[in-house]
Amino acid sequence: MKLEEYPKLTIIMRGYSFEQAEAILKAMNGFEKDYAVEMTLNTENALENIKQLNAQFGDKIKIGAGTVRTIEDAKAAYAAGAKFLLGPHVFTKEMLAFANEKNILAVPAAMTPSEIDEMFKNGADIVKIFPAAVVTPRFFKDVQAPLGKLPLMGVGGVSTDNARAFFENQASYLGLGSGMFNKEDLKELNIPNLAKSLQLLLERIK
């Protein structure tokens, strides 16, 4: 997978059932170029769910794995068909080399300029700034003043209400988790309402 193919927005599915994840991907009909989705590996049956979702939707939607913490996680996610790997912290050189070799996008997390620089030098495709709400949107603009333009993703505390501020401060990508959808819509597998939430975010970041 090439970096230029990766959408600006990623839906983080943590703790969702297969049925809820499936409903979200069905709601993404028409939004495939706007959103990628990742299922975190600390979700029950995550690897099997990634495999099944790829079989159903993988030709249209970019599906990856989140909470990737070890080389074993990376290899298992790849075997399940993940197109990209997101982590909550820095990746080892071994993890980055594996992702590069297998042509899957590596998105480790960082929180300091030194960590960001190290991850890119070691082969990261995107660096996830986590938790983004703690450093605030301004961090993205400020850190790129000395480091230059970089593909940074804001994750952690990003919502429909503040997403635009991150993009205005030079974030290239955003990941949204629990605040993305109405809990009742997820509980009831309300696909039309889930689609409305996807549309609302796109309208807010215009």
Side-chain angles (χ1 to χ4, degrees):
M1 180 179 173
K2 296 178 181 177
L3 181 59
E4 53 266 30
E5 298 172 349
Y6 193 80
K8 291 202 308 181
L9 299 163
T10 300
I11 298 167
I12 300 165
M13 302 189 294
R14 185 185 304 278
Y16 293 171
S17 67
F18 177 81
E19 290 75 19
Q20 289 172 325
E22 185 181 44
I24 290 170
L25 271 71
K26 287 180 178 178
M28 288 174 63
N29 185 36
F31 299 111
E32 296 91 349
K33 292 184 179 179
D34 301 301
Y35 292 94
V37 297
E38 57 119 314
M39 179 162 279
T40 65
L41 293 186
N42 57 357
T43 295
E44 189 174 354
N45 298 320
L47 292 169
E48 182 60 30
N49 290 348
I50 290 170
K51 189 174 181 179
Q52 289 189 47
L53 292 170
N54 262 304
Q56 285 182 249
F57 304 97
D59 59 332
K60 291 184 178 181
I61 298 172
K62 305 292 190 296
I63 302 169
T67 317
V68 176
R69 303 192 61 192
T70 65
I71 185 63
E72 290 77 19
D73 286 346
K75 289 179 177 179
Y78 171 73
K83 301 297 188 297
F84 55 91
L85 309 173
L86 277 85
H89 49 58
V90 295
F91 283 177
T92 64
K93 288 183 179 180
E94 185 182 15
M95 292 168 70
L96 290 167
F98 175 80
N100 295 163
E101 177 192 344
K102 299 300 184 182
N103 197 31
I104 49 178
L105 294 187
V107 190
M111 207 181 183
T112 68
S114 295
E115 291 174 343
I116 293 167
D117 185 59
E118 179 188 5
M119 287 299 94
F120 281 120
K121 284 180 177 176
N122 289 343
D125 296 288
I126 300 168
V127 170
K128 166 180 154 181
I129 305 303
F130 174 79
V134 174
V135 296
T136 75
R138 177 180 165 178
F139 176 88
F140 290 78
K141 185 176 182 179
D142 287 354
V143 79
Q144 290 178 87
L147 298 184
K149 179 61 179 170
L150 297 168
L152 301 178
M153 174 189 290
V155 177
V158 179
S159 67
T160 301
D161 293 329
N162 64 15
R164 184 172 180 176
F166 283 97
F167 283 125
E168 288 176 341
N169 281 275
Q170 299 179 18
S172 297
Y173 307 92
L174 293 177
L176 291 92
S178 58
M180 180 70 214
F181 301 109
N182 181 284
K183 290 182 179 179
E184 285 302 308
D185 293 340
L186 278 170
K187 185 177 179 181
E188 297 170 6
L189 308 180
N190 190 322
I191 293 170
N193 279 1
L194 294 173
K196 287 179 182 177
S197 293
L198 295 170
Q199 181 61 42
L200 176 62
L201 177 56
L202 294 179
E203 291 172 358
R204 291 283 181 88
I205 63 174
K206 282 182 179 177

